[in-house]
Amino acid sequence: MFLNSFYSTDGASVLISGSQGSRFAKGICDDFNPIHNQDDKSFCVPGDLLFSIVLQRYGLSEQMTFRFTEMLPSDLPLYFPEKAGEVIQIYDSNKTCYLEVERQGERSHRENCIESLIRSYVSFSGHNFPNILAPLMAKNKVMINPRRPFVIYESMSLSMKNLNFNDVDVHLLNATLSIKGKRGEVLLSFQLLDNRKVLGTGTKKLLVAGLREYRKAAVDDMIATYNAYKRSFTEL
């Protein structure tokens, strides 16, 4: 599968370098969040890459929930259990869990449908900023800290009606921001479609912090900086 170039194995462990994580974020997810820049001091491996590796190794189940419990740095050996039941934990040598997966129902290991779902979902997921977050902040009259943006991928879930498909399109249904003081929770609801037929539904949850009064000029600057960084990459 195309994912094999985005991680390496060392015995029983899986390693993801800064370069591999950054390439996946930019090249597959179209996500130019600086936190996925291999030279950034706060670099973390994209959660969508871990999500993708889980689907590659364990298949797609009718019901799946992914909870990202820690931010993963580069080159840290991870262990994916050989035998997996309804609960799968991805952890390091200190037993720190980085991803917990719950799954139920029928299962598919069809490589073409899994790759289609991965590519479509992570592209949707990678466009959260500015496509979805910027309008949400304007609507709720708040914004994240432009100097230290805090946006964490907390969880996602899938509920599939049909596991027999070839091509998947992810379509946003709704996006909400619930605010508690300077913190907030963004909930995205989406459909998975194959030739306009509904294959399933899903949700993605983001946690945001450092919220403050909305200033359009500051948000416009954040978007301009993001787009400039994206252009500099695509022009290389």
Side-chain angles (χ1 to χ4, degrees):
M1 185 183 267
F2 78 104
L3 289 176
N4 293 342
S5 65
F6 296 106
Y7 66 92
S8 60
T9 57
D10 183 8
S13 64
V14 168
L15 296 95
I16 301 170
S17 69
S19 174
Q20 288 171 319
S22 183
R23 285 194 298 109
F24 184 83
K26 297 174 177 64
I28 305 300
C29 305
D30 200 33
D31 180 357
F32 291 82
N33 186 333
I35 203 170
H36 301 317
N37 184 340
Q38 67 186 91
D39 299 322
D40 194 282
K41 293 181 179 179
S42 302
F43 172 85
C44 75
V45 170
D48 284 330
L49 179 50
L50 295 182
F51 157 82
S52 302
I53 296 172
V54 166
L55 290 188
Q56 179 192 41
R57 291 197 161 208
Y58 303 115
L60 171 65
S61 296
E62 289 178 318
Q63 308 290 330
M64 302 190 79
T65 299
F66 298 76
R67 296 185 182 89
F68 300 93
T69 52
E70 296 285 346
M71 296 175 69
L72 177 65
S74 61
D75 299 306
L76 181 69
L78 284 182
Y79 297 90
F80 288 69
E82 289 187 16
K83 296 182 179 180
E86 291 188 347
V87 177
I88 305 168
Q89 291 186 324
I90 312 303
Y91 55 89
D92 64 15
S93 59
N94 294 318
K95 299 301 181 181
T96 299
C97 180
Y98 290 84
L99 172 61
E100 183 174 272
V101 183
E102 295 183 11
R103 60 181 184 167
Q104 293 180 334
E106 297 295 323
R107 199 169 303 152
S108 171
H109 292 271
R110 289 179 59 205
E111 186 172 312
N112 65 321
C113 74
I114 290 175
E115 178 171 339
S116 176
L117 188 148
I118 288 173
R119 287 185 179 274
S120 184
Y121 172 74
V122 302
S123 178
F124 162 79
S125 181
H127 290 160
N128 291 169
F129 184 86
N131 304 45
I132 297 174
L133 287 181
L136 267 184
M137 291 190 293
K139 179 180 179 181
N140 289 273
K141 299 181 180 180
V142 295
M143 68 178 189
I144 54 179
N145 185 343
R147 294 184 179 180
R148 297 184 63 184
F150 184 93
V151 181
I152 297 295
Y153 189 175
E154 198 264 355
S155 63
M156 71 87 69
S157 65
L158 293 172
S159 178
M160 304 297 298
K161 296 179 179 179
N162 185 354
L163 299 179
N164 185 23
F165 56 87
N166 294 309
D167 296 308
V168 182
D169 290 318
V170 177
H171 174 69
L172 179 68
L173 291 176
N174 192 33
T176 60
L177 170 60
S178 303
I179 301 170
K180 293 183 180 179
K182 293 185 177 182
R183 292 182 175 270
E185 180 181 292
V186 176
L187 184 63
L188 310 179
S189 301
F190 56 88
Q191 280 184 329
L192 297 102
L193 306 174
D194 180 8
N195 195 25
R196 298 184 180 180
K197 294 181 180 179
V198 178
L199 297 171
T201 58
T203 60
K204 176 180 179 178
K205 184 186 296 184
L206 300 168
L207 303 179
V208 296
L211 294 177
R212 58 204 55 212
E213 184 179 354
Y214 182 80
R215 291 191 295 116
K216 184 177 185 303
V219 174
D220 288 345
D221 284 345
M222 281 192 282
I223 295 173
T225 299
Y226 181 91
N227 288 335
Y229 179 65
K230 181 176 180 177
R231 284 195 301 271
S232 70
F233 174 80
T234 56
E235 291 170 0
L236 293 178

